[in-house]
Amino acid sequence: MTVYVDVCAVEDVPSGKHRAFLVDDTSILIFRIGAEFYALENRCTHLDFPLEGGRQIGMNIICRKHGARFDICTGKAIVGPAVDPLRRFSVRVREGRVEVKPVAEQGSNPFVRQAG
Ligand code: FES
């Protein structure tokens, strides 16, 4: 069974922003939208460009390299040139800390956990 790994404090990711953290040799983007957190791999599925620092608009993150747009909730590529979805990770908040399971989740359900 894969356990959750401590990644950062809730305050480390301001609402409407994202930050990358190295978790078990995988660069993972933690997004905070309101009180909710999402975790996606920090690697555009088009040409492996890091997504950190890409423009974040609502529930979308845009790759700085060629403009692919991904849904933060599902990881799906919604505007090309990327086609494949981003890997998603289960995320939770415990006692003010953001924790991630460092194994990509399957399926299409969003992995969202509220702070508190
Ligand atoms: S590397 Fe991200 S869109 Fe091309």
Side-chain angles (χ1 to χ4, degrees):
M1 184 173 90
T2 307
V3 297
Y4 282 88
V5 173
D6 181 80
V7 176
C8 64
V10 166
E11 304 80 45
D12 290 338
V13 185
S15 184
K17 304 288 185 186
H18 61 270
R19 278 190 60 192
F21 298 91
L22 196 59
V23 181
D24 283 0
D25 295 327
T26 300
S27 183
I28 294 178
L29 282 179
I30 301 293
F31 295 87
R32 181 178 185 179
I33 299 174
E36 297 175 339
F37 289 84
Y38 305 82
L40 298 170
E41 187 169 13
N42 182 24
R43 184 180 67 85
C44 179
T45 56
H46 178 225
L47 292 177
D48 292 344
F49 194 78
L51 286 170
E52 183 181 26
R55 196 160 169 218
Q56 185 175 332
I57 303 173
M59 291 300 296
N60 294 168
I61 178 80
I62 299 172
C63 179
R64 292 174 290 138
K65 190 73 170 175
H66 306 112
R69 184 184 284 231
F70 296 91
D71 184 302
I72 293 167
C73 185
T74 65
K76 287 184 180 174
I78 53 178
V79 173
V83 174
D84 295 325
L86 300 170
R87 294 197 317 158
R88 296 175 300 148
F89 301 89
S90 183
V91 58
R92 72 182 183 187
V93 173
R94 290 283 165 92
E95 299 178 2
R97 303 290 302 177
V98 179
E99 301 176 340
V100 165
K101 263 191 187 179
V103 173
E105 299 285 353
Q106 303 295 319
S108 60
N109 292 331
F111 290 88
V112 180
R113 299 295 181 269
Q114 288 201 325

